[in-house]
Amino acid sequence: MLAFGNLGVAAGKVVVQAGLYDVKKHRLALVLGKQYSDLATDDNARFIAHKFADEIIFRLGVGIQASRK
């Protein structure tokens, strides 16, 4: 598996596009593709990163949920 993404900030919002690919396939197969958007703060950027990581774990069969603290 290969996970990657990009992050941008515009008009006070952080926007993240992230993907998870299966690299064992003959052609790269998209397993998970997400886009997140929230107010541009360090805490929100961190939360988005954790949320995507949680979605990867869930997709791989473990199943946990991100929560704000």
Side-chain angles (χ1 to χ4, degrees):
M1 299 295 201
L2 170 67
F4 70 93
N6 61 53
L7 177 143
V9 177
K13 291 205 170 242
V14 61
V15 178
V16 177
Q17 291 97 23
L20 177 69
Y21 287 84
D22 184 343
V23 296
K24 289 185 177 183
K25 304 282 183 181
H26 177 63
R27 294 183 181 170
L28 287 180
L30 179 64
V31 175
L32 177 65
K34 291 285 188 169
Q35 180 168 316
Y36 304 93
S37 178
D38 208 335
L39 293 177
T41 67
D42 289 344
D43 287 340
N44 286 344
R46 183 175 186 276
F47 177 76
I48 288 169
H50 282 270
K51 184 166 179 67
F52 184 61
D54 290 348
E55 299 220 25
I56 291 171
I57 297 300
F58 181 79
R59 185 60 58 108
L60 296 177
V62 177
I64 57 175
Q65 294 288 329
S67 63
R68 292 184 189 248
K69 293 186 179 185

